[in-house]
Amino acid sequence: MSSIDEIRDARIKKLELLKSKSINPYPTSSSREISLKEAIENFNALENKKDTKWIGGRIMSIRGQGAIVFLTFNDGTGTFQGLLKKDVVGAEKFDFFNKVVDIGDFVEIQGIFFTTKRGEKTLEIKDWHMLSKSLRPLPEKWHGLVDVEERFRKRYLDILMNGEVKERLVLRSKIVSLVRKFYDDNGYIEVETPRLQMIAGGATAKPFITHHNALGVDFFLTIAQELYLKMLLVGGFTKVYEIGRKFRNEGIDATHNPEFTMLESQEVYGDAKTGRDFVEKLFKYLIKEIFSSYKVTIDTAKLDFEKPFEIIAFYDLIKKYTEIKNPVYADQKELTAYAKKMGAVITPNESKENILDFIYKKLCRPNLIQPTFIIDYPVAFNPFAKRREDDPSIIDRFQLVISGIELVNAFSELNDPIDQKERYLEQDKKGKKGEQEISPTDAAYLEAMEYGMPPNSGIGIGIDRLAMFLSGAKNIKEVILFPTLKPKDNK
């Protein structure tokens, strides 16, 4: 078997041969008249008319049988068969094709459509042109690739060689379009907020830092768009949303990528209850549009979106699936001992809510298969959520979990600037103790709040994770075109 270098050298010689015949192997224009998808859809009419048409694409297979060659093309819209016959194109063009064309090359072919004796839709070639000469061979055993990261590094080959990968990524695009349509149809305005921010606010996460040379200052890459959206409510907007890239300098695992796409929205005069109603309608809309039914099987889970979503309070969830029977009053020592028993590594300054969150993710979340809203979190879980009026130790927040995956985080937004400042001070204290995933005091945001912010509800949906769930993917990298990877060989 020839090495890659040997194959490349042989193809470069073919490239030079094309040039020696004054043939541009990478021409500016193509004569293609119809896509392969159009050729398939209109095949009967094309065959009956016997008109000559130009089609083009990448050659995926070449099967030579003496004076005839069968070709399989892929142009991104479909696949089609071409038949090159020596007695039709002439000996010179036929022989030259065999000398310079390889699997992987882009070519265009002109001919008439017909059906073979085996019933295969085919174009009988009368002429051909090179459109792009490939120098590297396509992989032969891509589907059995052991090194999964190599698939992500060479995503272009992954998409080309694996139809399921392309379908999944196309589905992601459809999901984004559907989400955008749902928001637009419900009276929301799509906006854009800064990617470069002076303070990494709006969420509790570790940010990336960059430097602006002209201004001579450091900026944080945005971790959330929430605060800017709420400033727009102060300015008089009523329903706003953004679908944008976010960056968090944290770990990489099956459900996390440092660079990700997040939808966040704000609606004036809403609360967590109206937010839940909106989210439930959104998910039922997505399910029906994608699967044409409210009862679906995604991966191996049989899910019912027809009935109302289940609702359970956070502390009730802890009691249901753990041995902690009174989590409200459980102290740091009890929670730490239990978390360590479950395999957690707890630092001396670990907050109570972080320990509870670990226990929830380890023992509770995997059990939530049917669509379930978790409500009524402890106040320390989010510095921007409004307290419940009947119990100030609880925030009016919810998360939507399906198949053990957190898909939505939402709450009644805090619009009390005094309470917000107190929450910020608690975050600052955590930062001084060494905790990195905090939301530090944002004086500009506090000032905006003091001008008066209407009551409002906020919703956050991770688009990558949503696509992962709806496509049945096991890893978030599967639904990101070019996921973040460690450099190969650390170079």
Side-chain angles (χ1 to χ4, degrees):
M1 182 180 291
S2 301
S3 68
I4 294 294
D5 288 339
E6 289 171 335
I7 293 172
R8 189 173 182 276
D9 288 343
R11 293 196 178 196
I12 288 176
K13 289 179 182 178
K14 295 179 182 182
L15 184 73
E16 296 302 325
L17 180 57
L18 283 162
K19 291 179 179 179
S20 72
K21 301 291 186 180
S22 298
I23 297 172
N24 183 355
Y26 307 102
T28 303
S29 302
S30 166
S31 300
R32 190 184 80 149
E33 297 173 277
I34 58 173
S35 70
L36 299 186
K37 181 175 184 289
E38 291 170 326
I40 295 167
E41 291 175 346
N42 302 295
F43 181 80
N44 291 337
L46 291 167
E47 183 178 30
N48 290 334
K49 288 181 179 179
K50 296 192 180 299
D51 290 341
T52 58
K53 293 287 184 183
W54 282 97
I55 61 174
R58 185 194 292 273
I59 296 178
M60 302 303 294
S61 69
I62 300 176
R63 306 181 304 281
Q65 299 175 18
I68 64 172
V69 176
F70 283 98
L71 315 169
T72 302
F73 289 85
N74 183 333
D75 73 344
T77 70
T79 59
F80 206 82
Q81 180 170 269
L83 173 61
L84 185 70
K85 300 172 71 175
K86 192 171 188 176
D87 62 354
V88 174
V89 298
E92 185 177 353
K93 282 191 174 182
F94 183 85
D95 293 340
F96 192 63
F97 179 94
N98 287 326
K99 285 181 180 179
V100 299
V101 175
D102 292 293
I103 292 173
D105 292 351
F106 281 87
V107 302
E108 60 184 6
I109 56 176
Q110 183 193 47
I112 59 172
F113 294 90
F114 78 103
T115 304
T116 66
K117 293 179 180 179
R118 293 184 178 182
E120 298 168 322
K121 296 178 174 65
T122 307
L123 185 85
E124 183 179 74
I125 302 170
K126 295 184 178 298
D127 198 3
W128 70 273
H129 297 150
M130 178 69 72
L131 291 179
S132 180
K133 179 62 188 169
S134 62
L135 301 182
R136 289 176 179 266
L138 297 180
E140 295 179 359
K141 298 180 180 179
W142 191 257
H143 289 270
L145 199 64
V146 176
D147 186 357
V148 177
E149 283 216 348
E150 191 69 8
R151 287 181 46 229
F152 301 132
R153 291 184 197 283
K154 298 179 180 178
R155 181 63 109 178
Y156 47 92
L157 291 178
D158 196 25
I159 295 168
L160 179 64
M161 304 304 293
N162 191 336
E164 290 182 8
V165 171
K166 184 175 181 180
E167 287 176 9
R168 188 182 301 120
L169 295 169
V170 169
L171 175 60
R172 175 200 166 102
S173 182
K174 180 179 180 180
I175 291 166
V176 173
S177 296
L178 289 171
V179 169
R180 183 172 274 119
K181 183 179 187 302
F182 186 85
Y183 267 88
D184 291 344
D185 290 348
N186 279 274
Y188 282 77
I189 296 173
E190 185 172 9
V191 299
E192 291 184 337
T193 60
R195 298 293 178 269
L196 299 178
Q197 301 180 0
M198 292 299 298
I199 294 176
T204 52
K206 185 179 179 181
F208 287 94
I209 302 172
T210 189
H211 184 78
H212 193 288
N213 293 331
L215 296 178
V217 296
D218 286 341
F219 280 96
F220 297 102
L221 297 185
T222 175
I223 61 171
Q225 57 262 60
E226 178 183 332
L227 302 189
Y228 285 95
L229 294 178
K230 288 191 284 190
M231 287 181 185
L232 293 177
L233 304 187
V234 175
F237 282 87
T238 58
K239 291 182 176 182
V240 292
Y241 78 96
E242 180 181 23
I243 299 175
R245 303 295 278 179
K246 296 291 162 275
F247 309 87
R248 297 183 182 179
N249 198 353
E250 300 169 354
I252 300 175
D253 58 30
T255 59
H256 293 86
N257 193 69
E259 180 181 3
F260 60 99
T261 303
M262 173 71 74
L263 176 144
E264 289 198 44
S265 66
Q266 309 293 144
E267 178 181 1
V268 297
Y269 310 116
D271 57 18
K273 173 63 170 63
T274 62
R276 286 203 307 273
D277 293 343
F278 183 84
V279 167
E280 186 163 340
K281 289 176 183 176
L282 169 61
F283 271 75
K284 289 184 175 182
Y285 166 75
L286 290 175
I287 292 296
K288 190 64 183 293
E289 287 293 318
I290 294 170
F291 300 102
S292 301
S293 173
Y294 291 116
K295 295 183 178 181
V296 298
T297 299
I298 300 178
D299 194 15
T300 58
K302 294 183 179 180
L303 304 171
D304 186 354
F305 287 85
E306 195 166 32
K307 62 183 182 181
F309 290 4
E310 298 174 15
I311 301 174
I312 186 169
F314 179 78
Y315 282 134
D316 290 340
L317 192 63
I318 295 294
K319 286 190 283 187
K320 184 175 181 179
Y321 291 108
T322 75
E323 298 172 8
I324 303 170
K325 298 309 176 187
N326 200 344
V328 178
Y329 299 105
D331 59 23
Q332 194 94 355
K333 184 178 179 180
E334 178 186 354
L335 292 175
T336 298
Y338 190 73
K340 286 183 176 179
K341 182 181 175 182
M342 295 298 110
V345 178
I346 306 298
T347 62
N349 294 322
E350 199 76 69
S351 63
K352 181 178 177 180
E353 62 268 19
N354 282 352
I355 302 172
L356 272 172
D357 191 51
F358 169 84
I359 293 170
Y360 148 73
K361 289 176 179 176
K362 179 77 173 181
L363 300 176
C364 305
R365 189 175 65 186
N367 291 290
L368 303 179
I369 305 302
Q370 296 303 318
T372 303
F373 287 123
I374 306 171
I375 64 172
D376 297 344
Y377 286 78
V379 69
F381 268 66
N382 191 289
F384 301 106
K386 188 173 286 188
R387 299 173 191 264
R388 268 184 38 182
E389 293 184 5
D390 60 338
D391 186 352
S393 70
I394 298 296
I395 50 177
D396 196 23
R397 175 201 189 195
F398 72 87
Q399 290 198 99
L400 175 63
V401 178
I402 311 175
S403 293
I405 304 173
E406 291 174 1
L407 296 172
V408 180
N409 179 38
F411 41 83
S412 300
E413 297 281 0
L414 180 61
N415 63 336
D416 177 349
I418 305 302
D419 191 355
Q420 183 65 75
K421 187 173 182 178
E422 292 174 356
R423 306 267 195 103
Y424 269 143
L425 292 175
E426 288 299 317
Q427 291 288 306
D428 292 340
K429 287 179 183 178
K430 292 179 181 179
K432 289 178 181 179
K433 291 180 179 180
E435 194 168 326
Q436 294 181 319
E437 296 183 12
I438 64 164
S439 188
T441 295
D442 187 331
Y445 176 64
L446 284 173
E447 181 180 342
M449 291 185 74
E450 290 186 357
Y451 283 98
M453 178 184 292
N456 65 96
S457 62
I459 295 170
I461 302 174
I463 295 296
D464 311 292
R465 203 174 290 179
L466 177 62
M468 176 183 167
F469 160 66
L470 290 173
S471 68
K474 298 291 188 182
N475 193 301
I476 200 167
K477 291 186 177 72
E478 297 287 359
V479 295
I480 298 175
L481 282 168
F482 299 99
T484 304
L485 300 169
K486 186 177 181 180
K488 197 170 184 179
D489 300 326
N490 294 322
K491 294 180 181 178

